[in-house]
Amino acid sequence: MDTETDLRRHDLLIDGKRLPPGTGEYSTNINPATEEPIALVAQGSAQDVDTAVKAARAALKVWNGMRAAERGRILMRFSELLREHQDELVALESLDAGKPLAAVKRQDVPAAIDTLAYYAGWCDKINGQVVPVRPDALTYTVREPVGVVGAIVPWNFPLMIGMWKIAPALACGCTMIVKPAEITPLSALRVGELALEAGVPPGVLNIVTGKGRVVGDAIVAHPGIDKVTFTGSPSVGRGILQGAAGNFKRVTLELGGKSANVIFADANIDNAVRAAASGIFFNTGQVCSAGSRILAHRDIYDDVVERLTARAKAIKVGDPAARETTMGPLVSAAQLKTVLDYVDIGRNEGASIVTGGARIGQKGFFVEPTVFANVEHEMRISQEEIFGPVASVVPFDDEEDAVRIANGTAYSLAAGVWSADIGRVHRVAHALKAGTVWINTYGYTDVRLPWGGAGDSGFGREHGDVAIENFTEPKAIWLAIEH
Ligand code: NAD
């Protein structure tokens, strides 16, 4: 991409048009690998959100008034357009978020396309029921779109997580205001353009870029928005829940995690450690379901630490565009600071750094893959989400101890269990507090399976038929039959 194109101004996308922000302000978007500017991005305001909400409310009639099969055809065309533009989307996402090109090509973009195609197929299958109540009435239910949806998206998987929200909402006949994270807005803007090209009517999918405290707050407060779907940090999630009370918006919160990957002594240690390493180092550890706590039985503890350390050292950290790179930079200077602060916290708490722990170079937000051993369950590095490539390896004595430690944080998003004992893996899978449990594997997600957590990990689920329920309201209808 040449610098001139990249430094063009990226305007808001409202009612099918690229509009400059009301304030006239743009922020400079930075490549996390080089710290070079890559684009100027519109700083939306509350006024811009209001304009977008008006467009989305007007578009509800058009979008929801369409035959369901027609809506499905448009969304399928939209997914085909994403496929046709996948190289461009891969490049954009990699540049904006610092993700290795190969990983975005393998995971983020195909997952976004798959999600859209999956929900395109749902459009004409959102059924009500006939519920026989009494002989003098026909009683049935229909599912109606909740209305205008505000989607607030994080920076770790901007395209994929954005599509987890856009695809089911549009399939249900809702219209939307999408606010990408301020530091990774480029793929969402491009996706909005492709939606229009596919035939999604103007006003159905509006993209308003800008700050969380401005655009995000305005979405949460706006009385013309019926539901907010949010993925991000617990602290922002809490504010959203409170702010949404004004007009009783429906809210879905996908927040953080401190997921435990529990390795028993009878597990295939090689497989377990390979998956545990990718469970914490994939996407530079910026994954809500990162297996950031590796719980290893005392008998194999040293072996696990040693193998994990070898894997951490073998990771090729560097230029996201380089073929050999397996780990890119962190997304921002702020995230780099957070991660390095946690390294200090762990050190001061008495845990030992076996490998890593330092920034790499002075340009770009690169950090070494880090392994902490001798971590005690109560330490902050074992309780708090770091959102970086920092593994805490915690020992346990037996099954009961493992479950106690695994369940001993405020989060409950995901967990892994490794053992050859089929009874044990099921017992532990049932005992773990988590929305997803992986047995003898780690990290997979699929749009067909529910995704989300409880406690500080939020509530509600994305994906599958649950998302269809999230974006629709059931209505009961009575028709009197005269006898
Ligand atoms: P964040 O909460 O800071 O930001 C997320 C989004 O919220 C961004 O678009 C941001 O602009 C917006 N926002 C910020 N302040 C806001 C406000 N006051 N009102 C409304 N919106 C506001 O989180 P982040 O740093 O972008 O992402 C990292 C966090 O997201 C981590 O805690 C991670 O665990 C979590 N996460 C969870 C999942 C999941 O599925 N559970 C997935 C990805 C990330």
Side-chain angles (χ1 to χ4, degrees):
M1 298 208 179
D2 72 44
T3 316
E4 210 172 302
T5 323
D6 291 340
L7 274 185
R8 80 164 206 253
R9 288 169 186 244
H10 290 258
D11 284 324
L12 310 171
L13 181 58
I14 297 178
D15 205 12
K17 297 181 279 288
R18 298 303 294 263
L19 299 178
T23 56
E25 284 171 26
Y26 293 80
S27 65
T28 305
N29 200 17
I30 284 177
N31 176 347
T34 61
E35 301 183 42
E36 301 290 334
I38 51 174
L40 297 173
V41 180
Q43 290 292 296
S45 63
Q47 187 57 48
D48 296 317
V49 169
D50 190 55
T51 309
V53 171
K54 288 194 176 101
R57 289 227 79 85
L60 263 179
K61 282 194 200 71
V62 181
W63 188 233
N64 190 37
M66 208 177 259
R67 286 191 311 117
E70 180 59 15
R71 220 167 44 231
R73 260 193 293 278
I74 293 173
L75 292 188
M76 195 55 89
R77 172 83 190 116
F78 184 11
S79 81
E80 283 159 9
L81 275 178
L82 292 190
R83 194 181 304 283
E84 282 168 28
H85 289 83
Q86 59 183 312
D87 290 346
E88 177 196 350
L89 291 168
V90 165
L92 208 55
E93 193 81 328
S94 170
L95 187 73
D96 208 11
K99 290 158 168 277
L101 271 179
V104 185
K105 193 170 186 162
R106 192 179 61 242
Q107 150 125 30
D108 303 52
V109 172
I113 296 169
D114 185 43
T115 300
L116 192 48
Y118 170 80
Y119 282 109
W122 260 104
C123 289
D124 56 0
K125 297 169 193 70
I126 302 172
N127 301 325
Q129 283 177 306
V130 175
V131 185
V133 171
R134 43 195 287 168
D136 59 350
L138 170 64
T139 39
Y140 64 100
T141 65
V142 291
R143 296 204 77 96
E144 297 179 337
V146 293
V148 175
V149 172
I152 302 177
V153 180
W155 42 257
N156 58 344
F157 294 92
L159 179 61
M160 184 182 82
I161 294 182
M163 198 49 77
W164 287 359
K165 302 178 186 311
I166 293 170
L170 295 193
C172 290
C174 297
T175 59
M176 307 186 81
I177 323 297
V178 175
K179 194 207 88 63
E182 47 265 57
I183 51 177
T184 57
L186 300 183
S187 57
L189 288 166
R190 189 68 188 111
V191 160
E193 287 179 341
L194 293 173
L196 288 167
E197 204 177 317
V200 174
V204 170
L205 178 59
N206 304 282
I207 316 287
V208 181
T209 53
K211 291 198 170 54
R213 288 229 150 269
V214 179
V215 177
D217 277 353
I219 287 175
V220 172
H222 203 293
I225 293 182
D226 304 288
K227 176 185 163 77
V228 172
T229 166
F230 171 75
T231 300
S233 57
S235 59
V236 173
R238 189 169 288 115
I240 286 178
L241 194 54
Q242 286 160 348
N247 68 328
F248 299 104
K249 286 184 183 64
R250 289 176 63 172
V251 176
T252 311
L253 299 176
E254 305 283 357
L255 310 176
K258 192 72 190 177
S259 300
N261 210 342
V262 184
I263 309 175
F264 285 92
D266 62 353
N268 178 326
I269 308 295
D270 198 41
N271 286 350
V273 175
R274 188 185 322 116
S278 84
I280 179 60
F281 298 128
F282 174 64
N283 209 42
T284 323
Q286 303 165 120
V287 181
C288 50
S289 55
S292 48
R293 294 183 298 148
I294 296 162
L295 275 48
H297 188 273
R298 254 181 230 288
D299 291 351
I300 53 162
Y301 185 83
D302 291 341
D303 191 17
V304 167
V305 170
E306 197 175 306
R307 291 181 196 229
L308 186 68
T309 302
R311 289 198 171 269
K313 285 182 169 162
I315 289 171
K316 299 265 180 295
V317 184
D319 176 5
R323 196 180 273 269
E324 66 277 10
T325 296
T326 50
M327 197 169 108
L330 290 159
V331 76
S332 64
Q335 199 58 23
L336 178 65
K337 180 176 182 322
T338 304
V339 170
L340 295 176
D341 284 352
Y342 269 110
V343 168
D344 285 342
I345 289 168
R347 215 185 256 124
N348 294 336
E349 284 178 312
S352 9
I353 295 183
V354 192
T355 185
R359 181 176 184 179
I360 303 173
Q362 289 308 311
K363 265 277 178 238
F365 311 122
F366 295 97
V367 69
E368 293 171 336
T370 302
V371 176
F372 269 111
N374 303 320
V375 178
E376 282 165 28
H377 171 53
E378 294 73 20
M379 290 177 178
R380 284 183 63 191
I381 56 164
S382 182
Q383 289 289 323
E384 298 173 17
E385 185 176 49
I386 299 174
F387 228 54
V390 182
S392 291
V393 193
V394 186
F396 69 85
D397 294 315
D398 55 25
E399 193 175 308
E400 198 184 326
D401 195 33
V403 170
R404 178 187 64 80
I405 295 172
N407 286 346
T409 76
Y411 294 104
S412 53
L413 182 62
V417 51
W418 296 82
S419 166
D421 179 337
I422 193 149
R424 165 177 284 158
V425 291
H426 284 287
R427 271 195 311 277
V428 173
H430 285 266
L432 288 169
K433 264 195 333 170
T436 295
V437 176
W438 292 289
I439 298 174
N440 293 338
T441 183
Y442 197 86
Y444 287 99
T445 58
D446 191 286
V447 68
R448 291 149 196 89
L449 287 167
W451 180 252
D456 279 13
S457 298
F459 58 79
R461 294 290 184 273
E462 300 197 279
H463 296 177
D465 53 350
V466 184
I468 299 296
E469 286 169 22
N470 283 343
F471 290 105
T472 53
E473 289 282 6
K475 177 183 274 180
I477 299 179
W478 292 69
L479 170 77
I481 300 174
E482 286 183 22
H483 283 277

Short mmCIF file of all heavy atoms in Angstrom, two decimals, residues 152-156 161 164 179-182 210-213 216-217 220 230-234 236 240 254-257 288 385 387 413 451 457, ligand 1:
data_model
loop_
_atom_site.label_atom_id
_atom_site.label_comp_id
_atom_site.label_asym_id
_atom_site.label_seq_id
_atom_site.Cartn_x
_atom_site.Cartn_y
_atom_site.Cartn_z
N ILE A 152 -20.26 -2.21 19.66
CA ILE A 152 -18.97 -1.61 20.07
C ILE A 152 -17.93 -2.74 20.08
O ILE A 152 -18.08 -3.74 20.77
CB ILE A 152 -19.11 -0.92 21.44
CG1 ILE A 152 -20.20 0.15 21.37
CG2 ILE A 152 -17.77 -0.31 21.87
CD1 ILE A 152 -20.51 0.86 22.66
N VAL A 153 -16.89 -2.53 19.26
CA VAL A 153 -16.00 -3.62 18.87
C VAL A 153 -14.58 -3.34 19.39
O VAL A 153 -14.13 -2.20 19.37
CB VAL A 153 -16.00 -3.72 17.31
CG1 VAL A 153 -15.10 -4.84 16.83
CG2 VAL A 153 -17.41 -3.90 16.77
N PRO A 154 -13.85 -4.38 19.85
CA PRO A 154 -12.48 -4.16 20.34
C PRO A 154 -11.46 -4.24 19.20
O PRO A 154 -11.81 -4.50 18.05
CB PRO A 154 -12.27 -5.31 21.32
CG PRO A 154 -13.05 -6.42 20.71
CD PRO A 154 -14.23 -5.80 20.00
N TRP A 155 -10.18 -4.07 19.57
CA TRP A 155 -9.13 -3.98 18.55
C TRP A 155 -8.39 -5.30 18.31
O TRP A 155 -7.54 -5.38 17.45
CB TRP A 155 -8.11 -2.91 18.94
CG TRP A 155 -7.74 -2.89 20.40
CD1 TRP A 155 -8.19 -1.99 21.33
CD2 TRP A 155 -6.89 -3.79 21.10
NE1 TRP A 155 -7.66 -2.29 22.56
CE2 TRP A 155 -6.86 -3.39 22.45
CE3 TRP A 155 -6.14 -4.91 20.73
CZ2 TRP A 155 -6.13 -4.05 23.44
CZ3 TRP A 155 -5.40 -5.59 21.71
CH2 TRP A 155 -5.41 -5.16 23.03
N ASN A 156 -8.71 -6.32 19.10
CA ASN A 156 -7.86 -7.52 18.96
C ASN A 156 -8.22 -8.39 17.75
O ASN A 156 -7.35 -9.01 17.15
CB ASN A 156 -7.84 -8.34 20.26
CG ASN A 156 -9.20 -8.78 20.71
OD1 ASN A 156 -10.21 -8.25 20.25
ND2 ASN A 156 -9.25 -9.73 21.60
N ILE A 161 -14.55 -10.11 15.09
CA ILE A 161 -15.52 -9.85 16.17
C ILE A 161 -16.59 -8.87 15.68
O ILE A 161 -17.77 -8.99 16.02
CB ILE A 161 -14.83 -9.36 17.46
CG1 ILE A 161 -13.97 -10.51 18.02
CG2 ILE A 161 -15.85 -8.90 18.50
CD1 ILE A 161 -13.25 -10.21 19.33
N TRP A 164 -19.05 -10.95 13.98
CA TRP A 164 -19.86 -11.74 14.92
C TRP A 164 -21.10 -10.95 15.33
O TRP A 164 -22.10 -11.52 15.75
CB TRP A 164 -19.05 -12.07 16.18
CG TRP A 164 -18.00 -13.13 15.99
CD1 TRP A 164 -17.70 -13.82 14.85
CD2 TRP A 164 -17.09 -13.62 16.99
NE1 TRP A 164 -16.67 -14.69 15.08
CE2 TRP A 164 -16.27 -14.59 16.38
CE3 TRP A 164 -16.88 -13.32 18.35
CZ2 TRP A 164 -15.28 -15.28 17.09
CZ3 TRP A 164 -15.89 -14.00 19.04
CH2 TRP A 164 -15.10 -14.97 18.41
N LYS A 179 -19.33 0.85 16.05
CA LYS A 179 -18.18 1.66 16.43
C LYS A 179 -16.97 0.75 16.61
O LYS A 179 -16.85 0.04 17.59
CB LYS A 179 -18.43 2.39 17.76
CG LYS A 179 -17.39 3.49 17.97
CD LYS A 179 -17.13 3.82 19.41
CE LYS A 179 -16.07 2.97 20.04
NZ LYS A 179 -14.71 3.09 19.45
N PRO A 180 -16.06 0.79 15.63
CA PRO A 180 -14.84 -0.01 15.81
C PRO A 180 -13.96 0.65 16.87
O PRO A 180 -14.17 1.81 17.22
CB PRO A 180 -14.16 0.06 14.43
CG PRO A 180 -14.83 1.16 13.67
CD PRO A 180 -16.09 1.55 14.37
N ALA A 181 -12.98 -0.11 17.39
CA ALA A 181 -12.04 0.48 18.35
C ALA A 181 -11.30 1.63 17.66
O ALA A 181 -11.01 1.56 16.46
CB ALA A 181 -11.05 -0.57 18.83
N GLU A 182 -11.00 2.68 18.41
CA GLU A 182 -10.42 3.87 17.77
C GLU A 182 -9.10 3.58 17.08
O GLU A 182 -8.74 4.26 16.12
CB GLU A 182 -10.28 5.05 18.75
CG GLU A 182 -9.67 4.73 20.09
CD GLU A 182 -10.73 4.45 21.15
OE1 GLU A 182 -11.56 3.53 20.92
OE2 GLU A 182 -10.73 5.12 22.19
N GLY A 210 -14.31 6.70 16.10
CA GLY A 210 -14.02 7.73 17.10
C GLY A 210 -13.77 7.13 18.46
O GLY A 210 -13.65 5.91 18.61
N LYS A 211 -13.73 7.99 19.44
CA LYS A 211 -13.33 7.57 20.80
C LYS A 211 -14.47 6.85 21.53
O LYS A 211 -15.64 7.20 21.37
CB LYS A 211 -12.95 8.81 21.62
CG LYS A 211 -11.67 9.47 21.16
CD LYS A 211 -11.13 10.37 22.27
CE LYS A 211 -9.74 10.86 21.96
NZ LYS A 211 -9.62 11.52 20.66
N GLY A 212 -14.06 5.90 22.37
CA GLY A 212 -15.03 5.20 23.20
C GLY A 212 -15.81 6.15 24.08
O GLY A 212 -17.03 6.06 24.21
N ARG A 213 -15.09 7.10 24.66
CA ARG A 213 -15.74 8.02 25.62
C ARG A 213 -16.68 8.99 24.92
O ARG A 213 -17.52 9.62 25.58
CB ARG A 213 -14.69 8.82 26.39
CG ARG A 213 -13.95 8.02 27.40
CD ARG A 213 -13.92 8.76 28.76
NE ARG A 213 -13.87 7.81 29.86
CZ ARG A 213 -14.96 7.34 30.46
NH1 ARG A 213 -16.16 7.72 30.11
NH2 ARG A 213 -14.84 6.48 31.45
N GLY A 216 -18.76 5.90 21.75
CA GLY A 216 -19.28 4.77 22.53
C GLY A 216 -20.32 5.25 23.53
O GLY A 216 -21.43 4.71 23.61
N ASP A 217 -19.99 6.28 24.28
CA ASP A 217 -20.93 6.82 25.26
C ASP A 217 -22.23 7.27 24.59
O ASP A 217 -23.32 7.05 25.12
CB ASP A 217 -20.30 8.02 25.99
CG ASP A 217 -19.40 7.59 27.14
OD1 ASP A 217 -19.37 6.38 27.45
OD2 ASP A 217 -18.71 8.46 27.72
N VAL A 220 -24.38 4.33 23.76
CA VAL A 220 -24.97 3.72 24.96
C VAL A 220 -26.12 4.59 25.48
O VAL A 220 -27.13 4.08 25.97
CB VAL A 220 -23.88 3.52 26.03
CG1 VAL A 220 -24.48 3.08 27.35
CG2 VAL A 220 -22.84 2.51 25.54
N PHE A 230 -21.54 -5.52 22.98
CA PHE A 230 -20.21 -4.98 23.30
C PHE A 230 -19.21 -6.10 23.52
O PHE A 230 -19.52 -7.09 24.18
CB PHE A 230 -20.31 -4.13 24.57
CG PHE A 230 -18.98 -3.70 25.13
CD1 PHE A 230 -18.25 -2.69 24.52
CD2 PHE A 230 -18.44 -4.31 26.25
CE1 PHE A 230 -17.00 -2.29 25.03
CE2 PHE A 230 -17.20 -3.92 26.77
CZ PHE A 230 -16.49 -2.90 26.15
N THR A 231 -18.03 -5.94 22.96
CA THR A 231 -16.90 -6.79 23.34
C THR A 231 -15.77 -5.87 23.74
O THR A 231 -15.41 -4.95 23.00
CB THR A 231 -16.46 -7.69 22.16
OG1 THR A 231 -17.56 -8.52 21.80
CG2 THR A 231 -15.30 -8.58 22.57
N GLY A 232 -15.23 -6.12 24.93
CA GLY A 232 -14.16 -5.26 25.41
C GLY A 232 -13.85 -5.58 26.86
O GLY A 232 -14.07 -6.70 27.32
N SER A 233 -13.40 -4.57 27.57
CA SER A 233 -12.91 -4.80 28.93
C SER A 233 -14.06 -4.76 29.95
O SER A 233 -15.08 -4.10 29.72
CB SER A 233 -11.88 -3.73 29.27
OG SER A 233 -12.46 -2.46 29.11
N PRO A 234 -13.88 -5.42 31.08
CA PRO A 234 -14.93 -5.42 32.11
C PRO A 234 -15.26 -4.01 32.62
O PRO A 234 -16.43 -3.71 32.87
CB PRO A 234 -14.33 -6.27 33.24
CG PRO A 234 -13.33 -7.15 32.56
CD PRO A 234 -12.79 -6.35 31.41
N VAL A 236 -15.17 -1.07 31.05
CA VAL A 236 -16.04 -0.38 30.09
C VAL A 236 -17.40 -1.08 30.05
O VAL A 236 -18.45 -0.43 30.00
CB VAL A 236 -15.38 -0.31 28.69
CG1 VAL A 236 -16.36 0.27 27.67
CG2 VAL A 236 -14.13 0.55 28.74
N ILE A 240 -21.19 0.47 30.44
CA ILE A 240 -22.21 0.31 29.39
C ILE A 240 -23.51 -0.20 29.98
O ILE A 240 -24.60 0.29 29.66
CB ILE A 240 -21.67 -0.63 28.29
CG1 ILE A 240 -20.61 0.13 27.47
CG2 ILE A 240 -22.80 -1.16 27.40
CD1 ILE A 240 -19.95 -0.65 26.37
N GLU A 254 -19.44 -9.20 26.09
CA GLU A 254 -18.38 -10.21 25.99
C GLU A 254 -17.13 -9.55 26.53
O GLU A 254 -16.53 -8.72 25.85
CB GLU A 254 -18.16 -10.62 24.52
CG GLU A 254 -19.39 -11.10 23.81
CD GLU A 254 -19.78 -12.51 24.20
OE1 GLU A 254 -19.04 -13.14 24.99
OE2 GLU A 254 -20.82 -12.97 23.73
N LEU A 255 -16.74 -9.92 27.74
CA LEU A 255 -15.63 -9.20 28.38
C LEU A 255 -14.38 -10.07 28.42
O LEU A 255 -14.20 -10.93 27.57
CB LEU A 255 -16.09 -8.72 29.76
CG LEU A 255 -17.44 -7.97 29.72
CD1 LEU A 255 -17.91 -7.60 31.12
CD2 LEU A 255 -17.37 -6.73 28.84
N GLY A 256 -13.55 -9.85 29.36
CA GLY A 256 -12.24 -10.51 29.32
C GLY A 256 -12.22 -11.92 29.89
O GLY A 256 -13.26 -12.55 30.08
N GLY A 257 -11.01 -12.41 30.15
CA GLY A 257 -10.87 -13.74 30.71
C GLY A 257 -9.51 -13.92 31.37
O GLY A 257 -8.60 -13.09 31.22
N CYS A 288 -9.22 -12.76 24.23
CA CYS A 288 -9.99 -12.80 25.48
C CYS A 288 -9.96 -14.19 26.09
O CYS A 288 -10.01 -14.33 27.30
CB CYS A 288 -11.41 -12.34 25.24
SG CYS A 288 -12.15 -13.15 23.85
N GLU A 385 -6.31 -10.02 34.08
CA GLU A 385 -6.06 -10.19 32.65
C GLU A 385 -4.92 -9.26 32.22
O GLU A 385 -4.96 -8.06 32.47
CB GLU A 385 -7.32 -9.86 31.87
CG GLU A 385 -7.16 -10.13 30.40
CD GLU A 385 -8.45 -9.88 29.65
OE1 GLU A 385 -9.06 -8.82 29.83
OE2 GLU A 385 -8.85 -10.76 28.87
N PHE A 387 -3.54 -9.51 28.87
CA PHE A 387 -3.80 -9.26 27.45
C PHE A 387 -2.50 -9.04 26.69
O PHE A 387 -2.32 -8.09 25.92
CB PHE A 387 -4.75 -8.07 27.27
CG PHE A 387 -5.88 -8.38 26.31
CD1 PHE A 387 -6.69 -9.48 26.48
CD2 PHE A 387 -6.11 -7.57 25.20
CE1 PHE A 387 -7.73 -9.77 25.60
CE2 PHE A 387 -7.13 -7.84 24.30
CZ PHE A 387 -7.94 -8.94 24.51
N LEU A 413 -14.67 -17.35 31.17
CA LEU A 413 -14.94 -17.35 29.73
C LEU A 413 -14.62 -18.70 29.10
O LEU A 413 -15.45 -19.28 28.39
CB LEU A 413 -14.10 -16.25 29.06
CG LEU A 413 -14.32 -16.10 27.55
CD1 LEU A 413 -15.76 -15.72 27.24
CD2 LEU A 413 -13.37 -15.08 26.96
N TRP A 451 -20.76 -18.61 22.23
CA TRP A 451 -19.50 -18.03 22.71
C TRP A 451 -19.79 -16.91 23.69
O TRP A 451 -20.54 -15.98 23.38
CB TRP A 451 -18.69 -17.48 21.52
CG TRP A 451 -17.39 -16.87 21.94
CD1 TRP A 451 -17.08 -15.54 21.95
CD2 TRP A 451 -16.26 -17.57 22.44
NE1 TRP A 451 -15.79 -15.38 22.42
CE2 TRP A 451 -15.27 -16.61 22.73
CE3 TRP A 451 -15.97 -18.93 22.66
CZ2 TRP A 451 -14.02 -16.95 23.24
CZ3 TRP A 451 -14.73 -19.26 23.16
CH2 TRP A 451 -13.77 -18.28 23.45
N SER A 457 -16.52 -11.96 32.88
CA SER A 457 -16.45 -12.21 31.43
C SER A 457 -17.72 -11.75 30.72
O SER A 457 -17.83 -11.90 29.50
CB SER A 457 -16.18 -13.69 31.15
OG SER A 457 -14.95 -14.08 31.70
P1 NAD B 1 -12.02 -1.53 25.73
O1 NAD B 1 -13.11 -1.92 26.65
O2 NAD B 1 -11.10 -0.45 26.13
O3 NAD B 1 -12.62 -1.07 24.31
C1 NAD B 1 -13.54 -1.86 23.60
C2 NAD B 1 -14.39 -0.93 22.79
O4 NAD B 1 -15.13 -0.13 23.70
C3 NAD B 1 -13.63 0.02 21.89
O5 NAD B 1 -14.35 0.19 20.69
C4 NAD B 1 -13.63 1.30 22.69
O6 NAD B 1 -13.54 2.44 21.88
C5 NAD B 1 -14.98 1.23 23.34
N1 NAD B 1 -15.12 2.06 24.54
C6 NAD B 1 -14.12 2.51 25.36
N2 NAD B 1 -14.66 3.28 26.33
C7 NAD B 1 -15.99 3.32 26.12
C8 NAD B 1 -17.08 3.95 26.80
N3 NAD B 1 -16.89 4.69 27.88
N4 NAD B 1 -18.33 3.73 26.34
C9 NAD B 1 -18.55 2.95 25.27
N5 NAD B 1 -17.56 2.36 24.57
C10 NAD B 1 -16.29 2.53 24.99
O7 NAD B 1 -11.29 -2.87 25.41
P2 NAD B 1 -10.09 -3.06 24.43
O8 NAD B 1 -8.87 -2.62 25.16
O9 NAD B 1 -10.38 -2.46 23.12
O10 NAD B 1 -10.10 -4.65 24.26
C11 NAD B 1 -9.49 -5.49 25.17
C12 NAD B 1 -10.51 -6.08 26.11
O11 NAD B 1 -11.56 -6.71 25.40
C13 NAD B 1 -9.90 -7.15 26.98
O12 NAD B 1 -10.30 -6.99 28.31
C14 NAD B 1 -10.46 -8.43 26.40
O13 NAD B 1 -10.49 -9.51 27.24
C15 NAD B 1 -11.78 -8.02 25.91
N6 NAD B 1 -12.23 -8.91 24.83
C16 NAD B 1 -13.21 -9.82 25.09
C17 NAD B 1 -13.64 -10.70 24.11
C18 NAD B 1 -14.74 -11.71 24.35
O14 NAD B 1 -15.26 -12.29 23.42
N7 NAD B 1 -15.15 -11.95 25.57
C19 NAD B 1 -13.08 -10.62 22.84
C20 NAD B 1 -12.08 -9.67 22.60
C21 NAD B 1 -11.67 -8.81 23.61
#
